[in-house]
Amino acid sequence: MKNQHSYSRLLLSLLFLFGLLSFAQAQESSSLKWWNPSESAFPVISGQSWADEVPSLYHRLPARAESNVRTAVWNLSKQSAGLSIRFWSNSDTIQVRYKVKGNISMPHMPATGVSGLDLYSKSYDGEWARSWGRYSIKEESSYTFVINDDSPKYEKYGREYQLFLPLYNEVENLEIGVEKSAFFEVLPVRREKPIVAYGTSICQGACASRPGMAWSNILERKLERPVMNFGFSGNGRMEPEVIALLTEIDAKAYILDCLPNLSPDSHDVYQLTLDAVHQLKSKRPNVPIILTEHVGYADSFTNIKNADHVKRLNEQYKKAFLKLKEEGVTGIYLLENESMGLGFESFVDIIHPNDYGMIQYAEAYEKLILEVLNEEKGQIFTTISTSQSRDIAVYKWEERHQEILKMNQENPPKILLFGNSIVNFWGGEPKIKTVNGPDSWENMLKPAGVRNFGYGWDRIENVLWRIYHDELDGFEADQILLMIGTNNLQINSQQEIVLGLENLIQEIKERQPSSEIVMVGLLPRRGMEKEVEQINLKISQMADLANAIYLEVGKGLLLPDGKLNESLFSDGLHPNESGYQVIAKELVPKLHK
């Protein structure tokens, strides 16, 4: 009897605690305002290629594909692997409530990976961080993320977030909630060309512990470029019906990683590979293709038969690769299994990588893709491409980048002026709030056909990021002017600045080989006149050796004693209208008309 009373008291206590928790959650939800992606007037699901054609908001293939692909592929395409939502907010609490349709977990993959979410945010210097939260995963699930940032900057401006969706479940409905006093601004899908990955369960995300650890999502964060996930668990087989769909995507690069779903005995891997590459190249001849070998199982000591199976698959793959090379097919690359670096500690079972293995996958892909796209990282900071959002009080850096990509597509520019806030504040389009030199721009630069590629607070490495992210793609410019580097003066040595500019010129030449490049010397600034003079001498010598034109436009901004003429500046760094007039008179005669 005593045990029965104890059990009853325990049960009542648990029910009471459950009631308190439910009440707290209800109170928390009622203090939030909610947004549903289905209510958006523009596409917001990143990683999706047919936003206007999908039968459900969180599916990966267009409705018309159902009649062409196998039923298994179609059903797997309903799962939201690789999909994400990007937004800005300053909320201290971010909650997501959503409903999934399939099994919550699998024997070898936890519910957090199969059906869970992951929220990441970016610092103002472009660094990623994961947001932590409590969660309840079932048919109707929820995540609550508490943001521990009490800085005035976050409170006023917030920061960028990216919410990664479940890897192995179908999302039926989803809402994002933020505090009623906070702002929430969803970001449209990016205009950069995506990396398109077609593969197996490994590509889809098995067996990552959470969505952010799938290699395609890790790669997306590393490259800061969309990665389209066409992993179909057990059913990625280089089928022409799927390849035909992929050719519809204007990709930056394709990845074919289907070998784990093929057999050297029952599939003609050699012919499948030839056909897949020919099919892609017939529609996208200039898009590089990466052929990924089977990484293999945990070891060849206890799984000798499986190791032989993998070896034979890779031999057929390599044979096809060499045949394509003999045919003269260009822009194809083989990612060999040895270069992936996976060992027995990289796997959950005999084939699927764990989180550590997923990181190894992503790092191997990143290394090869950067080589393929001529975007290798340098050894010093000014040669490592980086995004930023430091001038959030004035404008959104990412928003300006997307606007420039749109303008380039709709009206390709002929003369481009890259720079920081000095260029940004001058005038022209895309329009901004703060304009210090509108008359000189409208009367002198606009008639010459100059487009403003200046971003506030940009450094050399930020311009490099923009060049790597398609701002010079899809058109031929007559002239490209660089007026960048002053924001690096107080954080980098003169040698690092000059080497960064030299690298920048070379990267521009890779993408715009017929354009004339003009390296504009740094403008003088208060208290640093001598330092600017010294570094400009080094920049001029570097430009000459790099076959770029060097142009000095800042001497007219100095007094006879070499000090800054304060009457031509608003703050000792940014020119006023009179200062911009002085610069324009030096610059415009050098422009192509």
Side-chain angles (χ1 to χ4, degrees), residues 114-352:
V114 173
S115 308
L117 304 173
D118 247 335
L119 185 67
Y120 284 77
S121 66
K122 260 190 353 187
S123 75
Y124 303 114
D125 289 315
E127 298 169 336
W128 285 104
R130 183 188 172 211
S131 301
W132 301 84
R134 64 181 186 273
Y135 53 85
S136 171
I137 302 177
K138 44 192 177 182
E139 184 180 352
E140 294 188 6
S141 305
S142 68
Y143 271 70
T144 301
F145 303 95
V146 177
I147 312 302
N148 296 313
D149 188 343
D150 56 1
S151 67
K153 191 170 186 178
Y154 179 76
E155 182 180 351
K156 189 170 184 179
Y157 304 113
R159 62 174 177 263
E160 179 185 338
Y161 290 92
Q162 186 164 6
L163 179 71
F164 291 98
L165 303 188
L167 298 171
Y168 259 86
N169 217 324
E170 181 179 355
V171 176
E172 288 194 312
N173 186 52
L174 182 145
E175 292 180 292
I176 300 174
V178 298
E179 294 167 331
K180 290 181 178 178
S181 60
F183 71 79
F184 178 91
E185 179 187 345
V186 67
L187 295 173
V189 295
R190 304 175 72 133
R191 291 178 174 272
E192 290 99 327
K193 293 182 179 182
I195 305 297
V196 174
Y198 174 31
T200 68
S201 55
I202 300 169
C203 180
Q204 185 168 341
C207 288
S209 66
R210 49 189 177 83
M213 293 308 297
W215 71 252
S216 65
N217 290 337
I218 298 172
L219 184 63
E220 177 162 328
R221 294 195 301 276
K222 284 176 171 290
L223 298 178
E224 292 192 271
R225 178 181 293 279
V227 177
M228 304 293 186
N229 187 319
F230 294 100
F232 302 117
S233 184
N235 288 276
R237 300 176 185 172
M238 283 195 286
E239 294 169 305
E241 297 82 5
V242 177
I243 298 289
L245 289 166
L246 303 189
T247 64
E248 298 177 13
I249 304 170
D250 188 11
K252 193 74 172 180
Y254 291 109
I255 294 172
L256 295 181
D257 191 358
C258 295
L259 288 196
N261 283 166
L262 301 175
S263 166
D265 298 315
S266 55
H267 297 99
D268 189 344
V269 175
Y270 173 77
Q271 193 61 49
L272 278 171
T273 306
L274 294 180
D275 292 345
V277 172
H278 287 148
Q279 190 176 0
L280 286 171
K281 286 292 184 180
S282 68
K283 295 291 181 68
R284 303 287 179 181
N286 299 320
V287 180
I289 301 172
I290 294 172
L291 304 174
T292 308
E293 286 190 346
H294 196 325
V295 172
Y297 299 98
D299 59 68
S300 59
F301 184 70
T302 56
N303 295 296
I304 296 173
K305 289 183 179 180
N306 288 333
D308 179 67
H309 171 96
V310 171
K311 180 181 177 183
R312 290 164 60 205
L313 278 172
N314 288 340
E315 285 173 348
Q316 289 191 37
Y317 212 41
K318 194 168 293 183
K319 180 182 175 184
F321 173 76
L322 294 173
K323 175 62 176 175
L324 290 163
K325 286 289 190 180
E326 288 175 12
E327 292 176 0
V329 178
T330 59
I332 56 171
Y333 304 86
L334 185 68
L335 182 56
E336 297 181 277
N337 61 352
E338 294 87 356
S339 65
M340 303 284 274
L342 276 74
F344 65 89
E345 297 287 16
S346 306
F347 294 87
V348 169
D349 48 26
I350 63 171
I351 184 170
H352 298 102

Side-chain angles (χ1 to χ4, degrees), residues 367-431:
K367 183 177 185 296
L368 181 55
I369 288 171
L370 291 180
E371 291 174 4
V372 169
L373 301 181
N374 294 313
E375 297 179 5
E376 292 98 329
K377 294 180 180 179
Q379 299 299 312
I380 57 175
F381 200 72
T382 53
T383 61
I384 301 173
S385 67
T386 311
S387 61
Q388 59 103 347
S389 54
R390 289 183 285 269
D391 209 11
I392 189 62
V394 179
Y395 78 112
K396 283 191 171 68
W397 194 87
E398 160 76 11
E399 192 175 276
R400 183 171 177 84
H401 170 63
Q402 297 300 326
E403 180 64 19
I404 281 181
L405 293 182
K406 180 182 178 183
M407 292 176 66
N408 288 351
Q409 292 170 356
E410 296 174 351
N411 181 24
K414 285 299 182 182
I415 302 178
L416 292 62
L417 177 54
F418 279 91
N420 45 49
S421 56
I422 295 171
V423 174
N424 184 250
F425 291 168
W426 201 335
E429 293 182 336
K431 294 187 180 300

Side-chain angles (χ1 to χ4, degrees), residues 92-126:
D92 291 332
T93 299
I94 298 173
Q95 191 173 112
V96 187
R97 58 191 186 193
Y98 63 105
K99 185 176 182 180
V100 293
K101 197 170 183 178
N103 294 329
I104 299 302
S105 63
M106 294 189 287
H108 63 342
M109 189 172 176
T112 49
V114 173
S115 308
L117 304 173
D118 247 335
L119 185 67
Y120 284 77
S121 66
K122 260 190 353 187
S123 75
Y124 303 114
D125 289 315

Side-chain angles (χ1 to χ4, degrees), residues 463-497:
V463 176
L464 182 63
W465 187 99
R466 297 197 274 123
I467 288 169
Y468 283 172
H469 285 73
D470 303 1
E471 286 195 9
L472 294 180
D473 290 8
F475 63 93
E476 290 187 5
D478 292 334
Q479 205 170 30
I480 298 173
L481 296 90
L482 291 173
M483 196 171 171
I484 189 72
T486 195
N487 287 330
N488 293 89
L489 280 174
Q490 293 173 313
I491 60 173
N492 297 109
S493 68
Q494 291 192 4
Q495 182 184 21
E496 289 171 335
I497 292 171

Side-chain angles (χ1 to χ4, degrees), residues 32-44:
L32 305 177
K33 57 185 177 183
W34 294 90
W35 171 82
N36 192 318
S38 64
E39 300 168 358
S40 176
F42 51 84
V44 295

